[in-house]
PDB file of all heavy atoms in Angstrom:
ATOM      1  N   ILE O 114       0.898  -1.242   0.031  1.00 90.00           N
ATOM      2  CA  ILE O 114      -0.040   0.013   0.018  1.00 90.00           C
ATOM      3  C   ILE O 114       0.874   1.327   0.036  1.00 90.00           C
ATOM      4  O   ILE O 114       0.660   2.197  -0.740  1.00 90.00           O
ATOM      5  CB  ILE O 114      -0.933  -0.078   1.240  1.00 90.00           C
ATOM      6  CG1 ILE O 114      -1.908  -1.154   1.108  1.00 90.00           C
ATOM      7  CG2 ILE O 114      -1.588   1.369   1.400  1.00 90.00           C
ATOM      8  CD1 ILE O 114      -2.864  -1.222   2.316  1.00 90.00           C
ATOM      9  N   TYR O 115       1.918   1.289   0.793  1.00 89.00           N
ATOM     10  CA  TYR O 115       2.766   2.532   0.859  1.00 89.00           C
ATOM     11  C   TYR O 115       3.403   2.600  -0.342  1.00 89.00           C
ATOM     12  O   TYR O 115       3.527   3.733  -0.926  1.00 89.00           O
ATOM     13  CB  TYR O 115       3.865   2.200   2.025  1.00 89.00           C
ATOM     14  CG  TYR O 115       4.861   3.299   2.068  1.00 89.00           C
ATOM     15  CD1 TYR O 115       4.550   4.609   2.429  1.00 89.00           C
ATOM     16  CD2 TYR O 115       6.114   3.100   1.501  1.00 89.00           C
ATOM     17  CE1 TYR O 115       5.625   5.567   2.479  1.00 89.00           C
ATOM     18  CE2 TYR O 115       7.067   4.120   1.350  1.00 89.00           C
ATOM     19  CZ  TYR O 115       6.740   5.377   1.945  1.00 89.00           C
ATOM     20  OH  TYR O 115       7.685   6.330   1.864  1.00 89.00           O
ATOM     21  N   SER O 116       3.998   1.635  -0.928  1.00 91.00           N
ATOM     22  CA  SER O 116       4.793   1.609  -2.150  1.00 91.00           C
ATOM     23  C   SER O 116       3.955   2.194  -3.440  1.00 91.00           C
ATOM     24  O   SER O 116       4.398   3.097  -4.057  1.00 91.00           O
ATOM     25  CB  SER O 116       5.366   0.340  -2.670  1.00 91.00           C
ATOM     26  OG  SER O 116       6.188  -0.160  -1.552  1.00 91.00           O
ATOM     27  N   VAL O 117       2.570   1.757  -3.435  1.00 91.00           N
ATOM     28  CA  VAL O 117       1.787   2.159  -4.469  1.00 91.00           C
ATOM     29  C   VAL O 117       1.464   3.600  -4.322  1.00 91.00           C
ATOM     30  O   VAL O 117       1.546   4.397  -5.325  1.00 91.00           O
ATOM     31  CB  VAL O 117       0.589   1.266  -4.569  1.00 91.00           C
ATOM     32  CG1 VAL O 117      -0.505   1.907  -5.570  1.00 91.00           C
ATOM     33  CG2 VAL O 117       0.836  -0.180  -5.071  1.00 91.00           C
ATOM     34  N   ILE O 118       1.035   3.991  -3.181  1.00 91.00           N
ATOM     35  CA  ILE O 118       0.649   5.443  -3.013  1.00 91.00           C
ATOM     36  C   ILE O 118       1.763   6.376  -3.112  1.00 91.00           C
ATOM     37  O   ILE O 118       1.784   7.476  -3.700  1.00 91.00           O
ATOM     38  CB  ILE O 118      -0.015   5.543  -1.576  1.00 91.00           C
ATOM     39  CG1 ILE O 118      -1.391   4.732  -1.713  1.00 91.00           C
ATOM     40  CG2 ILE O 118      -0.257   7.063  -1.306  1.00 91.00           C
ATOM     41  CD1 ILE O 118      -2.044   4.835  -0.262  1.00 91.00           C
ATOM     42  N   GLN O 119       3.092   5.821  -2.658  1.00 90.00           N
ATOM     43  CA  GLN O 119       4.178   6.707  -2.778  1.00 90.00           C
ATOM     44  C   GLN O 119       4.586   6.846  -4.325  1.00 90.00           C
ATOM     45  O   GLN O 119       4.997   7.999  -4.642  1.00 90.00           O
ATOM     46  CB  GLN O 119       5.408   6.092  -2.050  1.00 90.00           C
ATOM     47  CG  GLN O 119       6.723   6.823  -2.104  1.00 90.00           C
ATOM     48  CD  GLN O 119       6.532   8.254  -1.243  1.00 90.00           C
ATOM     49  OE1 GLN O 119       5.649   8.448  -0.477  1.00 90.00           O
ATOM     50  NE2 GLN O 119       7.271   9.119  -1.654  1.00 90.00           N
ATOM     51  N   PHE O 120       4.369   5.872  -5.049  1.00 90.00           N
ATOM     52  CA  PHE O 120       4.657   5.923  -6.482  1.00 90.00           C
ATOM     53  C   PHE O 120       3.726   6.994  -7.072  1.00 90.00           C
ATOM     54  O   PHE O 120       4.121   7.805  -7.981  1.00 90.00           O
ATOM     55  CB  PHE O 120       4.503   4.570  -7.133  1.00 90.00           C
ATOM     56  CG  PHE O 120       4.575   4.464  -8.650  1.00 90.00           C
ATOM     57  CD1 PHE O 120       5.804   4.607  -9.287  1.00 90.00           C
ATOM     58  CD2 PHE O 120       3.450   4.505  -9.404  1.00 90.00           C
ATOM     59  CE1 PHE O 120       5.995   4.606 -10.533  1.00 90.00           C
ATOM     60  CE2 PHE O 120       3.597   4.488 -10.785  1.00 90.00           C
ATOM     61  CZ  PHE O 120       4.763   4.554 -11.454  1.00 90.00           C
ATOM     62  N   LEU O 121       2.458   6.860  -6.780  1.00 89.00           N
ATOM     63  CA  LEU O 121       1.405   7.793  -7.323  1.00 89.00           C
ATOM     64  C   LEU O 121       1.688   9.307  -6.900  1.00 89.00           C
ATOM     65  O   LEU O 121       1.557  10.207  -7.673  1.00 89.00           O
ATOM     66  CB  LEU O 121       0.075   7.376  -6.990  1.00 89.00           C
ATOM     67  CG  LEU O 121      -0.391   6.099  -7.376  1.00 89.00           C
ATOM     68  CD1 LEU O 121      -1.742   5.731  -6.652  1.00 89.00           C
ATOM     69  CD2 LEU O 121      -0.575   5.978  -8.770  1.00 89.00           C
ATOM     70  N   LEU O 122       2.113   9.517  -5.678  1.00 87.00           N
ATOM     71  CA  LEU O 122       2.401  10.720  -5.173  1.00 87.00           C
ATOM     72  C   LEU O 122       3.692  11.349  -5.907  1.00 87.00           C
ATOM     73  O   LEU O 122       3.842  12.536  -6.274  1.00 87.00           O
ATOM     74  CB  LEU O 122       2.674  10.788  -3.767  1.00 87.00           C
ATOM     75  CG  LEU O 122       1.378  10.633  -2.855  1.00 87.00           C
ATOM     76  CD1 LEU O 122       1.626  10.472  -1.366  1.00 87.00           C
ATOM     77  CD2 LEU O 122       0.418  11.777  -3.073  1.00 87.00           C
ATOM     78  N   TYR O 123       4.702  10.567  -5.971  1.00 86.00           N
ATOM     79  CA  TYR O 123       5.986  10.857  -6.583  1.00 86.00           C
ATOM     80  C   TYR O 123       5.766  11.356  -8.024  1.00 86.00           C
ATOM     81  O   TYR O 123       6.512  12.270  -8.505  1.00 86.00           O
ATOM     82  CB  TYR O 123       7.053   9.870  -6.436  1.00 86.00           C
ATOM     83  CG  TYR O 123       8.477  10.149  -6.861  1.00 86.00           C
ATOM     84  CD1 TYR O 123       9.299  10.927  -6.192  1.00 86.00           C
ATOM     85  CD2 TYR O 123       8.816   9.681  -8.144  1.00 86.00           C
ATOM     86  CE1 TYR O 123      10.444  11.394  -6.640  1.00 86.00           C
ATOM     87  CE2 TYR O 123      10.184  10.101  -8.509  1.00 86.00           C
ATOM     88  CZ  TYR O 123      10.908  10.786  -7.815  1.00 86.00           C
ATOM     89  OH  TYR O 123      12.256  11.032  -8.277  1.00 86.00           O
ATOM     90  N   ASN O 124       5.001  10.599  -8.766  1.00 87.00           N
ATOM     91  CA  ASN O 124       4.824  10.975 -10.229  1.00 87.00           C
ATOM     92  C   ASN O 124       3.759  11.961 -10.540  1.00 87.00           C
ATOM     93  O   ASN O 124       3.360  12.212 -11.563  1.00 87.00           O
ATOM     94  CB  ASN O 124       4.476   9.586 -10.986  1.00 87.00           C
ATOM     95  CG  ASN O 124       5.688   8.719 -10.945  1.00 87.00           C
ATOM     96  OD1 ASN O 124       6.679   8.894 -11.863  1.00 87.00           O
ATOM     97  ND2 ASN O 124       5.762   7.700 -10.095  1.00 87.00           N
ATOM     98  N   GLY O 125       3.293  12.480  -9.360  1.00 84.00           N
ATOM     99  CA  GLY O 125       2.259  13.540  -9.607  1.00 84.00           C
ATOM    100  C   GLY O 125       0.810  13.067  -9.929  1.00 84.00           C
ATOM    101  O   GLY O 125      -0.076  13.971 -10.418  1.00 84.00           O
ATOM    102  N   ILE O 126       0.510  11.809 -10.021  1.00 87.00           N
ATOM    103  CA  ILE O 126      -0.665  11.260 -10.267  1.00 87.00           C
ATOM    104  C   ILE O 126      -1.689  11.639  -9.140  1.00 87.00           C
ATOM    105  O   ILE O 126      -2.907  11.954  -9.573  1.00 87.00           O
ATOM    106  CB  ILE O 126      -0.682   9.698 -10.443  1.00 87.00           C
ATOM    107  CG1 ILE O 126       0.358   9.392 -11.582  1.00 87.00           C
ATOM    108  CG2 ILE O 126      -2.062   9.216 -10.756  1.00 87.00           C
ATOM    109  CD1 ILE O 126       0.575   7.865 -11.755  1.00 87.00           C
ATOM    110  N   LEU O 127      -1.323  11.641  -7.931  1.00 86.00           N
ATOM    111  CA  LEU O 127      -2.106  12.111  -6.873  1.00 86.00           C
ATOM    112  C   LEU O 127      -1.636  13.511  -6.505  1.00 86.00           C
ATOM    113  O   LEU O 127      -0.508  13.684  -6.247  1.00 86.00           O
ATOM    114  CB  LEU O 127      -2.063  11.255  -5.784  1.00 86.00           C
ATOM    115  CG  LEU O 127      -2.616   9.834  -5.808  1.00 86.00           C
ATOM    116  CD1 LEU O 127      -2.447   9.051  -4.563  1.00 86.00           C
ATOM    117  CD2 LEU O 127      -4.179   9.897  -6.257  1.00 86.00           C
ATOM    118  N   ASN O 128      -2.483  14.537  -6.611  1.00 87.00           N
ATOM    119  CA  ASN O 128      -2.057  15.910  -6.268  1.00 87.00           C
ATOM    120  C   ASN O 128      -2.084  16.226  -4.751  1.00 87.00           C
ATOM    121  O   ASN O 128      -2.461  15.371  -3.971  1.00 87.00           O
ATOM    122  CB  ASN O 128      -2.925  16.908  -7.043  1.00 87.00           C
ATOM    123  CG  ASN O 128      -4.484  16.824  -6.572  1.00 87.00           C
ATOM    124  OD1 ASN O 128      -4.830  16.404  -5.495  1.00 87.00           O
ATOM    125  ND2 ASN O 128      -5.414  16.856  -7.513  1.00 87.00           N
ATOM    126  N   PRO O 129      -1.610  17.402  -4.315  1.00 88.00           N
ATOM    127  CA  PRO O 129      -1.526  17.705  -2.877  1.00 88.00           C
ATOM    128  C   PRO O 129      -2.863  17.558  -2.213  1.00 88.00           C
ATOM    129  O   PRO O 129      -2.898  17.285  -0.956  1.00 88.00           O
ATOM    130  CB  PRO O 129      -0.991  19.100  -3.039  1.00 88.00           C
ATOM    131  CG  PRO O 129      -0.241  19.193  -4.160  1.00 88.00           C
ATOM    132  CD  PRO O 129      -0.924  18.370  -5.172  1.00 88.00           C
ATOM    133  N   PHE O 130      -4.045  17.755  -2.931  1.00 87.00           N
ATOM    134  CA  PHE O 130      -5.238  17.652  -2.212  1.00 87.00           C
ATOM    135  C   PHE O 130      -5.537  16.180  -1.783  1.00 87.00           C
ATOM    136  O   PHE O 130      -5.811  15.860  -0.718  1.00 87.00           O
ATOM    137  CB  PHE O 130      -6.456  17.951  -3.168  1.00 87.00           C
ATOM    138  CG  PHE O 130      -7.769  17.593  -2.776  1.00 87.00           C
ATOM    139  CD1 PHE O 130      -8.361  18.373  -1.715  1.00 87.00           C
ATOM    140  CD2 PHE O 130      -8.404  16.491  -3.153  1.00 87.00           C
ATOM    141  CE1 PHE O 130      -9.654  17.999  -1.210  1.00 87.00           C
ATOM    142  CE2 PHE O 130      -9.711  16.165  -2.636  1.00 87.00           C
ATOM    143  CZ  PHE O 130     -10.327  16.993  -1.702  1.00 87.00           C
ATOM    144  N   TYR O 131      -5.310  15.266  -2.705  1.00 88.00           N
ATOM    145  CA  TYR O 131      -5.297  13.793  -2.209  1.00 88.00           C
ATOM    146  C   TYR O 131      -4.295  13.420  -1.188  1.00 88.00           C
ATOM    147  O   TYR O 131      -4.540  12.505  -0.331  1.00 88.00           O
ATOM    148  CB  TYR O 131      -5.195  13.032  -3.487  1.00 88.00           C
ATOM    149  CG  TYR O 131      -6.377  13.071  -4.419  1.00 88.00           C
ATOM    150  CD1 TYR O 131      -6.192  13.862  -5.574  1.00 88.00           C
ATOM    151  CD2 TYR O 131      -7.609  12.498  -4.109  1.00 88.00           C
ATOM    152  CE1 TYR O 131      -7.221  14.011  -6.410  1.00 88.00           C
ATOM    153  CE2 TYR O 131      -8.657  12.675  -5.004  1.00 88.00           C
ATOM    154  CZ  TYR O 131      -8.497  13.405  -6.171  1.00 88.00           C
ATOM    155  OH  TYR O 131      -9.642  13.443  -6.999  1.00 88.00           O
ATOM    156  N   GLU O 132      -3.070  14.021  -1.276  1.00 89.00           N
ATOM    157  CA  GLU O 132      -2.092  13.563  -0.173  1.00 89.00           C
ATOM    158  C   GLU O 132      -2.628  14.130   1.078  1.00 89.00           C
ATOM    159  O   GLU O 132      -2.472  13.457   2.152  1.00 89.00           O
ATOM    160  CB  GLU O 132      -0.716  14.283  -0.457  1.00 89.00           C
ATOM    161  CG  GLU O 132       0.366  14.085   0.473  1.00 89.00           C
ATOM    162  CD  GLU O 132       1.531  14.711   0.176  1.00 89.00           C
ATOM    163  OE1 GLU O 132       1.586  15.460  -0.696  1.00 89.00           O
ATOM    164  OE2 GLU O 132       2.568  14.436   0.766  1.00 89.00           O
ATOM    165  N   ASN O 133      -3.185  15.392   1.137  1.00 91.00           N
ATOM    166  CA  ASN O 133      -3.732  15.862   2.361  1.00 91.00           C
ATOM    167  C   ASN O 133      -4.894  15.089   2.885  1.00 91.00           C
ATOM    168  O   ASN O 133      -5.001  14.798   4.212  1.00 91.00           O
ATOM    169  CB  ASN O 133      -4.202  17.397   2.208  1.00 91.00           C
ATOM    170  CG  ASN O 133      -4.697  17.939   3.521  1.00 91.00           C
ATOM    171  OD1 ASN O 133      -3.839  18.263   4.467  1.00 91.00           O
ATOM    172  ND2 ASN O 133      -6.002  18.229   3.620  1.00 91.00           N
ATOM    173  N   THR O 134      -5.653  14.559   2.009  1.00 91.00           N
ATOM    174  CA  THR O 134      -6.783  13.609   2.448  1.00 91.00           C
ATOM    175  C   THR O 134      -6.311  12.439   2.911  1.00 91.00           C
ATOM    176  O   THR O 134      -6.710  11.916   3.908  1.00 91.00           O
ATOM    177  CB  THR O 134      -7.733  13.227   1.193  1.00 91.00           C
ATOM    178  OG1 THR O 134      -8.181  14.548   0.679  1.00 91.00           O
ATOM    179  CG2 THR O 134      -8.795  12.531   1.530  1.00 91.00           C
ATOM    180  N   LEU O 135      -5.163  11.778   2.424  1.00 93.00           N
ATOM    181  CA  LEU O 135      -4.590  10.607   2.875  1.00 93.00           C
ATOM    182  C   LEU O 135      -4.016  10.783   4.267  1.00 93.00           C
ATOM    183  O   LEU O 135      -4.140   9.920   5.248  1.00 93.00           O
ATOM    184  CB  LEU O 135      -3.494  10.151   1.918  1.00 93.00           C
ATOM    185  CG  LEU O 135      -4.053   9.592   0.610  1.00 93.00           C
ATOM    186  CD1 LEU O 135      -2.729   9.345  -0.313  1.00 93.00           C
ATOM    187  CD2 LEU O 135      -4.631   8.157   0.762  1.00 93.00           C
ATOM    188  N   ILE O 136      -3.342  11.916   4.434  1.00 94.00           N
ATOM    189  CA  ILE O 136      -2.768  12.153   5.817  1.00 94.00           C
ATOM    190  C   ILE O 136      -3.955  12.300   6.808  1.00 94.00           C
ATOM    191  O   ILE O 136      -3.842  11.832   8.020  1.00 94.00           O
ATOM    192  CB  ILE O 136      -1.965  13.471   5.769  1.00 94.00           C
ATOM    193  CG1 ILE O 136      -0.678  13.183   4.910  1.00 94.00           C
ATOM    194  CG2 ILE O 136      -1.512  13.839   7.115  1.00 94.00           C
ATOM    195  CD1 ILE O 136       0.212  14.433   4.614  1.00 94.00           C
ATOM    196  N   THR O 137      -5.001  13.072   6.495  1.00 93.00           N
ATOM    197  CA  THR O 137      -6.115  13.170   7.353  1.00 93.00           C
ATOM    198  C   THR O 137      -6.725  11.853   7.715  1.00 93.00           C
ATOM    199  O   THR O 137      -7.076  11.513   8.881  1.00 93.00           O
ATOM    200  CB  THR O 137      -7.219  14.072   6.699  1.00 93.00           C
ATOM    201  OG1 THR O 137      -6.719  15.342   6.354  1.00 93.00           O
ATOM    202  CG2 THR O 137      -8.329  14.296   7.756  1.00 93.00           C
ATOM    203  N   ILE O 138      -6.856  10.892   6.771  1.00 94.00           N
ATOM    204  CA  ILE O 138      -7.373   9.570   6.998  1.00 94.00           C
ATOM    205  C   ILE O 138      -6.419   8.901   7.965  1.00 94.00           C
ATOM    206  O   ILE O 138      -6.964   8.145   8.995  1.00 94.00           O
ATOM    207  CB  ILE O 138      -7.423   8.687   5.664  1.00 94.00           C
ATOM    208  CG1 ILE O 138      -8.568   9.305   4.817  1.00 94.00           C
ATOM    209  CG2 ILE O 138      -7.624   7.238   5.853  1.00 94.00           C
ATOM    210  CD1 ILE O 138      -8.580   8.656   3.504  1.00 94.00           C
ATOM    211  N   LEU O 139      -5.059   8.826   7.846  1.00 95.00           N
ATOM    212  CA  LEU O 139      -4.196   8.205   8.724  1.00 95.00           C
ATOM    213  C   LEU O 139      -4.258   8.883  10.124  1.00 95.00           C
ATOM    214  O   LEU O 139      -4.320   8.125  11.139  1.00 95.00           O
ATOM    215  CB  LEU O 139      -2.820   8.384   8.223  1.00 95.00           C
ATOM    216  CG  LEU O 139      -2.461   7.682   6.843  1.00 95.00           C
ATOM    217  CD1 LEU O 139      -1.043   8.056   6.396  1.00 95.00           C
ATOM    218  CD2 LEU O 139      -2.675   6.293   7.022  1.00 95.00           C
ATOM    219  N   ILE O 140      -4.479  10.166  10.300  1.00 95.00           N
ATOM    220  CA  ILE O 140      -4.579  10.770  11.605  1.00 95.00           C
ATOM    221  C   ILE O 140      -5.806  10.233  12.262  1.00 95.00           C
ATOM    222  O   ILE O 140      -5.904   9.943  13.507  1.00 95.00           O
ATOM    223  CB  ILE O 140      -4.536  12.293  11.546  1.00 95.00           C
ATOM    224  CG1 ILE O 140      -3.082  12.709  10.937  1.00 95.00           C
ATOM    225  CG2 ILE O 140      -4.995  12.870  12.803  1.00 95.00           C
ATOM    226  CD1 ILE O 140      -2.966  14.260  10.711  1.00 95.00           C
ATOM    227  N   ASN O 141      -6.925  10.196  11.521  1.00 94.00           N
ATOM    228  CA  ASN O 141      -8.167   9.720  12.103  1.00 94.00           C
ATOM    229  C   ASN O 141      -8.170   8.232  12.530  1.00 94.00           C
ATOM    230  O   ASN O 141      -8.772   7.790  13.404  1.00 94.00           O
ATOM    231  CB  ASN O 141      -9.276   9.911  11.034  1.00 94.00           C
ATOM    232  CG  ASN O 141      -9.616  11.456  11.032  1.00 94.00           C
ATOM    233  OD1 ASN O 141      -9.513  12.090  11.944  1.00 94.00           O
ATOM    234  ND2 ASN O 141     -10.281  11.782   9.966  1.00 94.00           N
ATOM    235  N   ILE O 142      -7.332   7.448  11.682  1.00 94.00           N
ATOM    236  CA  ILE O 142      -7.131   6.007  12.022  1.00 94.00           C
ATOM    237  C   ILE O 142      -6.468   5.957  13.322  1.00 94.00           C
ATOM    238  O   ILE O 142      -7.049   5.117  14.246  1.00 94.00           O
ATOM    239  CB  ILE O 142      -6.432   5.362  11.015  1.00 94.00           C
ATOM    240  CG1 ILE O 142      -7.240   5.077   9.722  1.00 94.00           C
ATOM    241  CG2 ILE O 142      -5.936   3.995  11.416  1.00 94.00           C
ATOM    242  CD1 ILE O 142      -6.613   4.438   8.586  1.00 94.00           C
ATOM    243  N   MET O 143      -5.416   6.738  13.569  1.00 95.00           N
ATOM    244  CA  MET O 143      -4.687   6.709  14.920  1.00 95.00           C
ATOM    245  C   MET O 143      -5.663   7.110  16.027  1.00 95.00           C
ATOM    246  O   MET O 143      -5.517   6.500  17.071  1.00 95.00           O
ATOM    247  CB  MET O 143      -3.571   7.653  14.780  1.00 95.00           C
ATOM    248  CG  MET O 143      -2.286   7.221  13.861  1.00 95.00           C
ATOM    249  SD  MET O 143      -1.029   8.512  13.974  1.00 95.00           S
ATOM    250  CE  MET O 143      -0.381   8.205  15.576  1.00 95.00           C
ATOM    251  N   LEU O 144      -6.391   8.112  15.847  1.00 94.00           N
ATOM    252  CA  LEU O 144      -7.353   8.442  16.837  1.00 94.00           C
ATOM    253  C   LEU O 144      -8.381   7.467  17.187  1.00 94.00           C
ATOM    254  O   LEU O 144      -8.758   7.096  18.149  1.00 94.00           O
ATOM    255  CB  LEU O 144      -8.183   9.921  16.368  1.00 94.00           C
ATOM    256  CG  LEU O 144      -7.209  11.049  16.432  1.00 94.00           C
ATOM    257  CD1 LEU O 144      -7.786  12.285  15.681  1.00 94.00           C
ATOM    258  CD2 LEU O 144      -6.628  11.549  17.743  1.00 94.00           C
ATOM    259  N   ALA O 145      -8.903   6.795  16.148  1.00 94.00           N
ATOM    260  CA  ALA O 145      -9.945   5.798  16.135  1.00 94.00           C
ATOM    261  C   ALA O 145      -9.332   4.566  16.920  1.00 94.00           C
ATOM    262  O   ALA O 145      -9.966   4.038  17.822  1.00 94.00           O
ATOM    263  CB  ALA O 145     -10.597   5.426  14.852  1.00 94.00           C
ATOM    264  N   VAL O 146      -8.212   4.176  16.575  1.00 94.00           N
ATOM    265  CA  VAL O 146      -7.669   2.805  17.092  1.00 94.00           C
ATOM    266  C   VAL O 146      -7.352   3.133  18.671  1.00 94.00           C
ATOM    267  O   VAL O 146      -7.467   2.311  19.476  1.00 94.00           O
ATOM    268  CB  VAL O 146      -6.369   2.377  16.368  1.00 94.00           C
ATOM    269  CG1 VAL O 146      -5.569   1.366  16.941  1.00 94.00           C
ATOM    270  CG2 VAL O 146      -6.810   2.029  14.942  1.00 94.00           C
ATOM    271  N   SER O 147      -6.640   4.394  18.966  1.00 93.00           N
ATOM    272  CA  SER O 147      -6.449   4.679  20.325  1.00 93.00           C
ATOM    273  C   SER O 147      -7.588   4.823  21.190  1.00 93.00           C
ATOM    274  O   SER O 147      -7.556   4.393  22.297  1.00 93.00           O
ATOM    275  CB  SER O 147      -5.602   5.954  20.349  1.00 93.00           C
ATOM    276  OG  SER O 147      -6.323   7.036  19.780  1.00 93.00           O
ATOM    277  N   LEU O 148      -8.824   5.292  20.665  1.00 93.00           N
ATOM    278  CA  LEU O 148      -9.909   5.345  21.531  1.00 93.00           C
ATOM    279  C   LEU O 148     -10.559   3.922  21.570  1.00 93.00           C
ATOM    280  O   LEU O 148     -11.283   3.562  22.470  1.00 93.00           O
ATOM    281  CB  LEU O 148     -10.948   6.329  20.894  1.00 93.00           C
ATOM    282  CG  LEU O 148     -12.144   6.677  21.758  1.00 93.00           C
ATOM    283  CD1 LEU O 148     -11.912   7.032  23.144  1.00 93.00           C
ATOM    284  CD2 LEU O 148     -13.106   7.618  21.037  1.00 93.00           C
ATOM    285  N   HIS O 149     -10.329   3.204  20.527  1.00 92.00           N
ATOM    286  CA  HIS O 149     -10.846   1.817  20.527  1.00 92.00           C
ATOM    287  C   HIS O 149     -10.237   1.037  21.562  1.00 92.00           C
ATOM    288  O   HIS O 149     -11.016   0.160  22.194  1.00 92.00           O
ATOM    289  CB  HIS O 149     -10.562   1.204  19.135  1.00 92.00           C
ATOM    290  CG  HIS O 149     -10.371  -0.276  19.183  1.00 92.00           C
ATOM    291  ND1 HIS O 149     -11.348  -1.185  19.183  1.00 92.00           N
ATOM    292  CD2 HIS O 149      -9.143  -1.156  19.331  1.00 92.00           C
ATOM    293  CE1 HIS O 149     -10.827  -2.464  19.387  1.00 92.00           C
ATOM    294  NE2 HIS O 149      -9.582  -2.344  19.344  1.00 92.00           N
ATOM    295  N   LEU O 150      -9.119   1.348  21.947  1.00 92.00           N
ATOM    296  CA  LEU O 150      -8.571   0.539  23.173  1.00 92.00           C
ATOM    297  C   LEU O 150      -9.279   0.932  24.403  1.00 92.00           C
ATOM    298  O   LEU O 150      -9.410   0.078  25.332  1.00 92.00           O
ATOM    299  CB  LEU O 150      -6.987   1.001  23.281  1.00 92.00           C
ATOM    300  CG  LEU O 150      -6.182   0.361  24.374  1.00 92.00           C
ATOM    301  CD1 LEU O 150      -6.196  -1.213  24.281  1.00 92.00           C
ATOM    302  CD2 LEU O 150      -4.797   0.990  24.472  1.00 92.00           C
ATOM    303  N   VAL O 151      -9.582   2.124  24.582  1.00 91.00           N
ATOM    304  CA  VAL O 151     -10.308   2.678  25.734  1.00 91.00           C
ATOM    305  C   VAL O 151     -11.697   2.199  25.885  1.00 91.00           C
ATOM    306  O   VAL O 151     -12.114   1.605  26.865  1.00 91.00           O
ATOM    307  CB  VAL O 151     -10.210   4.118  25.902  1.00 91.00           C
ATOM    308  CG1 VAL O 151     -10.914   4.585  27.195  1.00 91.00           C
ATOM    309  CG2 VAL O 151      -8.734   4.644  26.030  1.00 91.00           C
ATOM    310  N   ILE O 152     -12.389   2.466  24.745  1.00 90.00           N
ATOM    311  CA  ILE O 152     -13.875   1.979  24.780  1.00 90.00           C
ATOM    312  C   ILE O 152     -14.119   0.618  24.373  1.00 90.00           C
ATOM    313  O   ILE O 152     -14.894  -0.123  25.094  1.00 90.00           O
ATOM    314  CB  ILE O 152     -14.668   3.090  23.771  1.00 90.00           C
ATOM    315  CG1 ILE O 152     -14.579   4.422  24.339  1.00 90.00           C
ATOM    316  CG2 ILE O 152     -16.088   2.694  23.722  1.00 90.00           C
ATOM    317  CD1 ILE O 152     -15.210   5.583  23.496  1.00 90.00           C
ATOM    318  N   GLY O 153     -13.518   0.212  23.241  1.00 87.00           N
ATOM    319  CA  GLY O 153     -13.852  -0.998  22.686  1.00 87.00           C
ATOM    320  C   GLY O 153     -13.293  -2.240  23.425  1.00 87.00           C
ATOM    321  O   GLY O 153     -13.914  -3.310  23.496  1.00 87.00           O
ATOM    322  N   ILE O 154     -12.102  -2.051  23.876  1.00 90.00           N
ATOM    323  CA  ILE O 154     -11.379  -3.217  24.589  1.00 90.00           C
ATOM    324  C   ILE O 154     -11.598  -3.143  26.063  1.00 90.00           C
ATOM    325  O   ILE O 154     -11.967  -4.176  26.793  1.00 90.00           O
ATOM    326  CB  ILE O 154      -9.967  -3.142  24.329  1.00 90.00           C
ATOM    327  CG1 ILE O 154      -9.684  -3.220  22.876  1.00 90.00           C
ATOM    328  CG2 ILE O 154      -9.109  -4.147  25.043  1.00 90.00           C
ATOM    329  CD1 ILE O 154     -10.218  -4.587  22.207  1.00 90.00           C
TER     330      ILE O 154
END
């Protein structure tokens, strides 16, 4: 997954908007997983 997306970003296929969206997704995953430990587990 990292290699494919990095390739797309490096070659300009994914513009900065999509990069920012990907970063936002990753941050939200961290928040969701960390709260999952408190509430879900």
Side-chain angles (χ1 to χ4, degrees):
I114 292 173
Y115 172 79
S116 301
V117 170
I118 295 179
Q119 183 65 25
F120 175 80
L121 296 175
L122 291 172
Y123 182 79
N124 290 278
I126 300 174
L127 294 179
N128 59 37
F130 170 77
Y131 290 104
E132 181 182 9
N133 184 69
T134 302
L135 289 169
I136 293 173
T137 303
I138 289 173
L139 293 174
I140 292 171
N141 285 338
I142 288 174
M143 291 182 65
L144 292 170
V146 171
S147 59
L148 186 60
H149 151 79
L150 177 61
V151 177
I152 297 180
I154 299 300

